[in-house]
């Protein structure tokens, strides 16, 4: 039986959702503030948190929450919800976003307000920075979505909300010898001018991503073949539209589906052959990261 782990942003909860009938149960409460990215390796669940934001008086929407204080984290537990632990010291991350794994020995994550992409071993040791950006003040340096394949790291820099300045990048899984995370010669810009790309997943040479930017091309699920070295990405195929602040993604090629979550609380199953989509569950709260569990 296939299920999803889904993160409840405001309730700090990890849910298990049966993809066949939408039945939902609570796996763990009190994830720490603002869970965002989640992966499963063996019988262990790993997740990131963005930390506790400061509310800005008189400001509405996403801009009302200030996440610049370093209060994010990286956490783990068993799949049954026991043995919950922090892999890094609290505050080691500024704003933990999407979490990815090579499925063997390492985790990778975006740190939005930290302006970086980092990695560590599954036990939290050997933490390294792979990408470090200089502050631009407009959100274009903020790293959000992260994915890896055998040879490469992929990440999004979403840009300002609904700004149309989103980009997707690629680089090697390690910093080139003699270089540093803030000065890498192997960084490629694959896509630019996107509405607001968020989470990523690489499957069989195809990149899938969610976009929570402005319509018509925002609030969508997208895919495109990975370009060759030095080549730009081709215009993406939009598999689903009309999402409500699209965030999480989990692709199940065996079932021919991609699952997408949004801050409106919906988890959607989208057919990879383009034949449509269906609502798996309406969670009644903001949902961020997704991970498949078999």
């Amino acid at each position: 039986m296939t299920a999803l782990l889904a993160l409840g942003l405001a309730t700090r909860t990890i849910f298990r959702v049966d993809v066949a009938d939408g039945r939902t149960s609570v796996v763990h409460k009190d994830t720490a503030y603002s869970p965002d990215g989640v992966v499963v390796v063996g019988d262990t669940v790993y997740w990131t948190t963005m930390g506790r934001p400061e509310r800005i008086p008189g400001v509405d929407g996403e801009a009302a929450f200030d996440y610049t204080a370093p209060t994010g984290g990286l956490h783990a537990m068993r799949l049954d919800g026991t043995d919950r632990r922090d892999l890094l010291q609290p505050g080691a991350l500024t704003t933990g976003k999407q979490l990815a794994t090579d499925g063997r020995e390492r985790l990778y994550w975006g740190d939005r307000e930290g302006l970086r992409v980092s990695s560590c071993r599954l036990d939290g040791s050997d933490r390294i920075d792979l990408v470090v950006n200089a502050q631009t003040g407009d959100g274009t340096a903020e790293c959000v979505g992260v994915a890896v394949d055998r040879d490469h790291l992929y990440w999004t820099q979403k840009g300002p909300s609904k700004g149309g300045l989103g980009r997707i990048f690629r680089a090697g899984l390690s910093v080139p010898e003699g270089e540093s995370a803030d000065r890498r010669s192997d960084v490629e810009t694959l896509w630019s001018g996107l509405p607001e790309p968020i989470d990523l997943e690489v499957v069989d040479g195809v990149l899938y991503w969610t976009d929570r930017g402005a319509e018509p091309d925002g609030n969508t699920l997208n895919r495109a073949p990975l370009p060759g070295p030095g080549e730009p990405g081709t215009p993406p195929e939009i598999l689903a539209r009309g999402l409500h602040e699209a965030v999480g993604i989990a692709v199940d090629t065996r079932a021919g589906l991609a699952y997408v979550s949004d801050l409106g609380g919906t988890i959607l199953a989208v057919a990879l052959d383009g034949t449509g989509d269906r609502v798996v569950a309406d969670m009644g709260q903001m949902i961020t990261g997704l991970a498949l569990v078999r």
Side-chain angles (χ1 to χ4, degrees), residues 12-250:
R12 293 176 265 169
T13 302
I14 300 178
F15 297 98
R16 185 182 181 106
V17 182
D18 188 315
V19 299
D21 59 16
R23 285 185 300 173
T24 301
S25 59
V26 172
V27 178
H28 183 75
K29 288 191 173 183
D30 196 19
T31 59
Y33 279 96
S34 310
D36 190 89
V38 59
V39 295
V40 178
V41 182
D43 66 350
T44 303
V45 181
Y46 301 88
W47 73 95
T48 59
T49 48
M50 295 189 287
R52 185 172 186 172
E54 293 292 328
R55 183 67 185 261
I56 304 173
V59 178
D60 295 324
E62 183 181 6
F65 299 94
D66 181 359
Y67 282 96
T68 55
T71 57
L74 177 63
H75 321 275
M77 67 178 185
R78 293 186 184 277
L79 198 53
D80 63 5
T82 62
D83 190 27
R84 186 238 194 257
R85 58 203 184 273
D86 297 329
L87 294 187
L88 300 175
Q89 288 186 333
L93 283 69
T94 303
T95 315
K97 298 297 290 179
Q98 190 179 10
L99 184 63
T101 179
D102 59 12
R104 301 182 301 276
E105 60 181 27
R106 298 197 70 88
L107 300 168
Y108 301 80
W109 65 89
D111 187 336
R112 190 178 63 193
E113 274 75 5
L115 311 178
R116 67 192 64 216
V117 177
S118 304
S119 175
C120 71
R121 294 188 182 276
L122 296 180
D123 63 0
S125 65
D126 189 32
R127 178 189 168 180
I128 55 174
D129 290 332
L130 298 173
V131 176
V132 176
N133 292 329
Q135 179 62 263
T136 59
D138 61 0
T140 56
E142 295 178 350
C143 303
V144 179
V146 172
V148 296
D149 61 16
R150 185 168 186 170
D151 300 308
H152 293 99
L153 167 73
Y154 304 84
W155 71 98
T156 63
Q157 293 174 205
K158 73 181 187 67
S161 179
K162 317 304 181 197
L165 298 177
R167 291 171 290 172
I168 299 176
F169 298 88
R170 175 172 64 192
L173 285 177
S174 59
V175 176
E177 186 175 354
E179 300 183 7
S180 60
D182 61 342
R183 294 180 181 273
R184 295 187 60 159
S185 61
D186 63 337
V187 175
E188 300 177 80
T189 303
L190 302 183
W191 285 271
S192 61
L194 299 175
E196 196 180 348
I198 305 296
D199 284 4
L200 302 170
E201 188 162 341
V202 177
V203 182
D204 298 332
V206 176
L207 187 68
Y208 295 79
W209 70 89
T210 55
D211 193 303
R212 60 178 289 194
E215 296 179 353
D217 294 334
N219 274 311
T220 52
L221 170 64
N222 305 263
R223 72 176 171 193
L226 289 169
E231 298 177 357
T234 57
E237 175 188 4
I238 296 179
L239 290 172
R241 298 179 184 270
L243 292 144
H244 301 283
E245 305 291 320
V247 177
I249 183 172

Side-chain angles (χ1 to χ4, degrees), residues 243-264:
L243 292 144
H244 301 283
E245 305 291 320
V247 177
I249 183 172
V251 180
D252 185 354
T253 53
R254 188 186 307 178
L257 296 169
Y259 299 97
V260 185
S261 64
D262 64 29
L263 298 186

